[in-house]
Amino acid sequence: MSYIPKCLWLAALITSVFSCANPTNATNSHTDSTASSPDSGMAVTAVMTQELQDTMTPEVILQKFKDGNQRFLTGTMIHRDYMQQVKQTANGQHPYAIVVSCVDSRKPAEVIFDKGIGDMFNARVAGNFVNTDILGSIEFACKVSGAKLILVMGHTACGAIKSACDHVELGNITAMLKNIQPAVDSVKGFEGQRNAKNADFVQAVAKENVLLAQAKILRDSPIIRDMVQNHQVEIVGCMYDLATGKVEFYQ
Ligand SMILES: [Zn+2]
C-alpha cells in the first residue's frame, strides 16, 4: 500500500470541500475541442470541474492536447474570458494534466496547447528533467488534484541540452546540468561530433532526455507507478519544434 503523507490527503480534502462549495453553472460548456470565433464575442468562461475531471480518460485528455496544438498551428485558438475563469477557479482547481517542460520563453505550454486557466499544471525547469521536486509536483498534480495525463515535453535547439552536451560549468548551472548528463551519455553510436555544434546530436539527446524522464517518473514514484498500472494516469513524451510551433507526440 502506498504511503501518502497526511498533508497531501488534507490538501485533497480541502480541494474537495471547496469544489462542493463552489459549484459552477457552466459545467456543460467547458470545451477545448471546439473553438469559438474570435469575432463572435462569445468567449469561453467555463472551467474544469470535478465532474468533468472524473469523466475524462487519459486518452481523451491526450487528444485534447493534440487538438489544442492543432488550433495553435492554424490560428483557431479558443477565445477565453480569462477573468471569468479566474473567478471560477478562485476556490478550487481540477486540472486534467501536468506538463513538464523547459523554461524556454518560446514555448509557453498553455499557449501552444491552447489551454485555459485551471486546465493544466505546468512544471518548468531548464532541460525538462525530472528530479525529486518535479516528481513531488507530479504526484501532487495526479494523486492529490486528480490530473490524469503527464506530458513530458522537450524542444528543439534547447539551450540547456546544448550546455549539457558541451559540459558547461557556470555557477549553479553546473549542478543543474548533471540532471541532463545521463541523456548525453545514453546516446550511443552517434556519427559525428558529440557536442552542441552538431544539431543532430543535440536533438538525439533532447529526445533521449524526454524518454529517460518518462522512465524515471515510473521508476522513482511508486505513487505514479500504481496509478499508471491502474490506468488512472498515462505518461506521454513529446517534442516541440521551435521553428514550426508543432508538437510531435511520441504516441
Ligand atoms: Zn530548453
Side-chain angles (χ1 to χ4, degrees):
M1 180 176 169
S2 301
Y3 170 72
I4 310 297
K6 282 183 180 175
C7 61
L8 292 185
W9 286 121
L10 182 60
L13 180 62
I14 291 171
T15 300
S16 173
V17 168
F18 274 142
S19 74
C20 293
N22 182 42
T24 172
N25 58 6
T27 54
N28 294 326
S29 60
H30 178 279
T31 174
D32 54 16
S33 293
T34 305
S36 60
S37 166
D39 300 325
S40 69
M42 297 289 288
V44 170
T45 60
V47 296
M48 280 294 296
T49 63
Q50 179 82 66
E51 180 186 10
L52 277 169
Q53 192 189 51
D54 287 346
T55 58
M56 288 181 183
T57 64
E59 292 75 19
V60 165
I61 296 165
L62 177 59
Q63 188 60 49
K64 286 182 175 295
F65 276 81
K66 292 179 178 178
D67 292 345
N69 183 239
Q70 193 60 31
R71 291 194 301 274
F72 174 68
L73 288 167
T74 55
T76 54
M77 296 173 77
I78 292 172
H79 177 38
R80 294 182 171 87
D81 185 333
Y82 286 124
M83 286 316 299
Q84 281 300 322
Q85 291 191 323
V86 166
K87 291 174 184 171
Q88 294 202 61
T89 53
N91 291 325
Q93 61 174 340
H94 307 284
Y96 46 48
I98 177 168
V99 177
V100 178
S101 67
C102 181
V103 297
D104 195 292
S105 67
R106 296 164 289 180
K107 42 159 285 301
E110 283 89 348
V111 175
I112 67 170
F113 289 120
D114 190 21
K115 300 304 175 207
I117 289 172
D119 284 347
M120 53 169 272
F121 289 96
N122 192 350
R124 299 181 70 166
V125 64
N128 44 271
F129 56 81
V130 171
N131 64 3
T132 302
D133 303 307
I134 300 293
L135 269 183
S137 301
I138 292 170
E139 290 174 355
F140 180 83
C142 296
K143 191 68 179 180
V144 181
S145 295
K148 297 177 180 176
L149 177 68
I150 302 165
L151 203 53
V152 180
M153 178 167 65
H155 69 96
T156 59
C158 177
I161 298 289
K162 288 179 181 176
S163 298
C165 290
D166 282 351
H167 309 287
V168 167
E169 294 191 4
L170 178 65
N172 288 290
I173 295 172
T174 306
M176 183 188 74
L177 293 179
K178 291 191 189 315
N179 292 287
I180 306 172
Q181 196 59 44
V184 178
D185 298 338
S186 186
V187 173
K188 305 288 188 192
F190 201 88
E191 298 290 333
Q193 293 179 299
R194 294 177 63 90
N195 57 41
K197 291 189 179 75
N198 187 340
D200 290 341
F201 179 67
V202 170
Q203 193 51 33
V205 173
K207 181 170 184 178
E208 185 67 15
N209 190 48
V210 168
L211 300 178
L212 289 180
Q214 290 181 247
K216 185 167 184 176
I217 294 168
L218 275 178
R219 188 187 69 222
D220 293 352
S221 173
I223 288 177
I224 299 300
R225 191 164 61 241
D226 285 350
M227 295 185 82
V228 169
Q229 287 171 349
N230 293 325
H231 307 293
Q232 297 168 311
V233 165
E234 197 168 337
I235 306 171
V236 176
C238 62
M239 185 66 61
Y240 178 72
D241 190 328
L242 287 182
T244 65
K246 186 172 176 56
V247 178
E248 176 194 358
F249 291 85
Y250 292 154
Q251 78 175 61

